[in-house]
Amino acid sequence: MHASKVVVIGSGVAGLSIATRLAVKGYKVDVFEKNSYPGGKLSAFENDGFHFDSGPSLFTQPQNIEELFALANEPIGNYFAYQPVDVACKYFFENGKQVNAYTNPQLFAQEMKEQLNENPQSILNYLTQSEKLYDNTGRIFLDHSLHKIKTWFKGPGKALSTIKFRHLFQSLHQYNCSHFTSPEAIQLFNRFATYNGSSPYKAPAILSVIPHLELNQGTYYPKGGMISITNALLELAKNKGVQFHFDSLVQRIIHHEGKARGIVVNDENILADIVISNSDVYFTYKNLLHNATKAKKILRQERSSSAVIFYWGIKKQFDQLGLHNIFFSKDYKKEFDCIFNKKELSNDPTVYINITAKMEKSQSPPGTENWFLMVNASADSGQDWTAIKQQLREDVLNKLSRILGEDVQALIQTEQTSDPIVIQEQTNSFRGSLYGSSSNSRLAAFLRHPNFTSSIKDLYFCGGSVHPGGGIPLCLKSAKIVSELIAAANKKATH
Ligand code: FAD
């Protein structure tokens, strides 16, 4: 017999996913969310007829969502539709060069030859190696708990034989320099370190696994924007019997004699057999378990980057832009030095613009575009974000107006902004980091907090601040790992 009552703290993608996974196994699941809406970082808002996804904009590995619907025995098509995107990103370099990163490797290699004179075979070899790394190491490092001995009997030999000395002891930048000749190709492939909030000059070359997910497996666009992912997961969970409690800040996790017993919400004790925290692991220890020592230990790992975001309704359409666009800085190294060492923003930042109106006209009023404009920033450490945003706005407008040949400021119809402090307030993500801890060290993957704690039985952790890390695909994987850990604990208890 398994335990019957589960409480989940938070309704981020991982919280929604673990709720469904356990509900379909017969558990009675209640989710408590401090906000009035679900999704955490994966939420959205409307401003004057413009739709804006607040956080994530890049959707990869839809198979993680497909798998959840299959498990729940529900046709995904009744909840969620998505389509492949041909160009993963349009890159604009400061020297005027432009590259379309096609999700077809052959086309992409050809484009790199035409625009950057890069050897197409170097691109294809890199992507093949990236795929091999993913196939052989993903099973060990991403799909299972790294902190259970059983994982290490699942065939680490193949994984470890694929990982070369250089994957751990070279930085991603050094690795890329040994593969490509043009500075633009190196910068393009360096950018993948930012997909988990890290610096290519510090993070190990094992992050060269990431291009496989975007350029071989492809990127996708969810109909209705990214918020459709949250909406679909919420509907699925509700249909499987999960109860949701919004505007319900969890104040404390109750534990006694080394076992989780429930939570405190609105000063009321809610008892449960299993407690799962989808809240940031630092806040879970500090605020919900009042364990300052453990919280401090978590801080030994550097936080991932955060972001400053401008949500602009633009009263014009730009034919030269696509769904995802990058306007690179001239000096990439200086930019990361500013983010991770000086904790400030470079005056020539790389600018990312996501425009969902390129895929669906209904995302913004006729003749306009919804610009989600993001610049990577350091996690909050007390900077004056109002002043930083003001300066950044000016720098970004100058850069874009110069490159696009338009006075962009004059085209802004609606505006809203976000920064590390707003992100922390909205999602309880410590210091507003987007992906929990960074991968700026060789051992980062092993130092990330496990999905359980050996000091409190029946307490589990899922989401971007714990193993296997941040980003939608990994958060969904963390939920799967937790459900497997619970099944294993249950099996052990019945033997
Ligand atoms: P979170 O989204 O962190 O949500 C946690 C939830 O728990 C929140 O709703 C919070 O309110 C709730 N909560 C916390 N504490 C309590 C409490 N005490 N009581 C009750 N509720 C509580 N990923 C990608 O894959 N692609 C991208 O393009 C991408 N871009 C990003 C851009 C931005 C600006 C941001 C912010 C993130 C981006 N990410 C991206 C990362 C991705 O959004 C996250 O990794 C993922 O959504 C985190 O999900 P999660 O399950 O960890 O929960």
Side-chain angles (χ1 to χ4, degrees):
M1 272 291 288
H2 59 65
S4 60
K5 193 165 181 220
V6 177
V7 291
V8 179
I9 305 165
S11 66
V13 272
L16 293 170
S17 172
I18 187 63
T20 296
R21 284 185 174 273
L22 295 180
V24 299
K25 285 189 182 167
Y27 290 88
K28 183 183 174 313
V29 185
D30 284 79
V31 177
F32 293 83
E33 166 58 57
K34 75 173 179 62
N35 294 333
S36 57
Y37 55 87
K41 299 184 183 79
L42 192 43
S43 57
F45 64 92
E46 299 284 326
N47 194 358
D48 208 11
F50 292 86
H51 170 96
F52 292 103
D53 287 311
S54 321
S57 53
L58 178 66
F59 180 38
T60 53
Q61 293 207 302
Q63 61 268 32
N64 292 306
I65 296 181
E66 295 270 359
E67 184 192 295
L68 191 61
F69 279 87
L71 180 82
N73 205 16
E74 289 282 327
I76 189 167
N78 291 356
Y79 296 77
F80 181 56
Y82 62 91
Q83 65 186 86
V85 177
D86 295 341
V87 177
C89 190
K90 279 176 173 277
Y91 288 99
F92 298 80
F93 296 89
E94 270 293 332
N95 57 10
K97 292 185 183 171
Q98 293 182 19
V99 168
N100 285 331
Y102 294 101
T103 49
N104 173 327
Q106 295 290 344
L107 275 183
F108 177 53
Q110 195 49 39
E111 172 81 352
M112 293 292 271
K113 164 82 186 143
E114 282 165 21
Q115 306 304 331
L116 307 179
N117 201 25
E118 196 63 52
N119 181 351
Q121 203 49 49
S122 308
I123 304 289
L124 294 173
N125 289 348
Y126 189 99
L127 291 178
T128 303
Q129 178 61 19
S130 175
E131 177 174 14
K132 210 162 133 196
L133 255 186
Y134 184 80
D135 286 347
N136 291 341
T137 60
R139 274 184 314 124
I140 299 298
F141 295 114
L142 304 178
D143 287 344
H144 301 282
S145 172
L146 279 185
H147 312 87
K148 291 283 177 189
I149 195 81
K150 230 170 82 186
T151 303
W152 295 95
F153 287 107
K154 286 183 195 287
K158 204 169 175 192
L160 296 177
S161 69
T162 311
I163 298 175
K164 305 268 182 311
F165 182 81
R166 59 199 314 220
H167 291 128
L168 293 178
F169 290 91
Q170 276 189 336
S171 69
L172 183 64
H173 172 70
Q174 287 168 329
Y175 181 80
N176 290 340
C177 285
S178 67
H179 281 78
F180 307 116
T181 51
S182 71
E184 294 86 5
I186 294 166
Q187 189 170 24
L188 191 157
F189 278 91
N190 276 356
R191 180 180 165 245
F192 287 101
T194 67
Y195 282 35
N196 68 8
S198 309
S199 161
Y201 304 93
K202 292 184 172 189
I206 188 107
L207 293 199
S208 61
V209 73
I210 300 176
H212 168 61
L213 308 183
E214 180 171 296
L215 297 168
N216 287 330
Q217 292 194 340
T219 70
Y220 297 84
Y221 174 74
K223 189 164 184 286
M226 296 295 282
I227 189 63
S228 315
I229 298 175
T230 294
N231 293 341
L233 296 184
L234 177 73
E235 267 333 288
L236 179 67
K238 280 183 176 171
N239 285 347
K240 294 296 140 186
V242 177
Q243 297 290 319
F244 284 87
H245 310 264
F246 292 104
D247 295 308
S248 299
L249 174 76
V250 174
Q251 297 156 293
R252 197 158 64 79
I253 293 172
I254 307 168
H255 58 104
H256 183 58
E257 294 180 342
K259 186 196 173 326
R261 310 276 173 179
I263 55 172
V264 180
V265 183
N266 293 326
D267 297 326
E268 190 193 333
N269 289 356
I270 313 265
L271 298 184
D273 302 290
I274 293 174
V275 175
I276 301 170
S277 178
N278 177 217
S279 180
D280 184 291
V281 67
Y282 171 79
F283 279 128
T284 302
Y285 277 107
K286 185 167 174 279
N287 299 342
L288 305 184
L289 292 166
H290 300 295
N291 186 339
T293 316
K294 195 70 206 257
K296 210 167 151 199
K297 202 169 157 203
I298 285 164
L299 290 191
R300 280 192 214 145
Q301 264 197 283
E302 183 184 33
R303 293 265 101 189
S304 81
S305 57
S306 184
V308 172
I309 305 162
F310 296 95
Y311 306 93
W312 284 340
I314 295 285
K315 51 186 177 198
K316 185 181 159 65
Q317 289 171 322
F318 285 82
D319 291 343
Q320 64 271 54
L321 300 182
L323 174 64
H324 303 283
N325 310 275
I326 280 285
F327 294 84
F328 269 126
S329 60
K330 202 168 181 179
D331 188 344
Y332 216 30
K333 191 160 194 308
K334 176 178 151 201
E335 199 179 341
F336 287 96
D337 185 41
C338 284
I339 295 174
F340 288 103
N341 298 332
K342 297 186 178 145
K343 315 279 182 206
E344 59 189 35
L345 280 189
S346 155
N347 58 2
D348 175 28
T350 293
V351 176
Y352 167 72
I353 304 179
N354 172 252
I355 310 170
T356 56
K358 293 288 182 195
M359 301 299 291
E360 278 180 289
K361 289 202 164 32
S362 59
Q363 294 273 304
S364 73
T368 67
E369 288 177 348
N370 57 340
W371 285 20
F372 165 99
L373 188 154
M374 185 175 115
V375 170
N376 290 319
S378 70
D380 177 52
S381 53
Q383 300 92 328
D384 179 350
W385 290 106
T386 309
I388 289 175
K389 273 195 290 195
Q390 214 170 354
Q391 182 60 51
L392 180 65
R393 188 178 190 276
E394 206 181 304
D395 293 340
V396 164
L397 282 169
N398 285 339
K399 181 179 174 103
L400 292 178
S401 300
R402 175 169 48 79
I403 297 173
L404 295 172
E406 285 275 352
D407 177 4
V408 177
Q409 163 136 24
L411 298 173
I412 300 174
Q413 186 177 321
T414 64
E415 176 161 13
Q416 208 153 310
T417 66
S418 182
D419 59 50
I421 293 178
V422 175
I423 294 169
Q424 172 168 310
E425 275 168 12
Q426 286 177 347
T427 69
N428 260 9
S429 193
F430 184 55
R431 294 187 175 157
S433 70
L434 308 189
Y435 303 95
S437 53
S438 79
S439 292
N440 283 345
S441 84
R442 276 194 294 278
L443 294 177
F446 301 94
L447 297 175
R448 209 163 266 129
H449 195 282
N451 305 95
F452 63 96
T453 163
S454 43
S455 51
I456 305 178
K457 192 170 168 283
D458 295 324
L459 172 61
Y460 297 91
F461 306 86
C462 62
S465 65
V466 294
H467 177 71
I472 298 166
L474 297 193
C475 289
L476 293 170
K477 284 182 193 295
S478 77
K480 186 177 179 189
I481 294 170
V482 167
S483 79
E484 284 167 0
L485 289 172
I486 292 173
N490 204 30
K491 202 166 152 199
K492 207 167 154 193
T494 52
H495 277 87

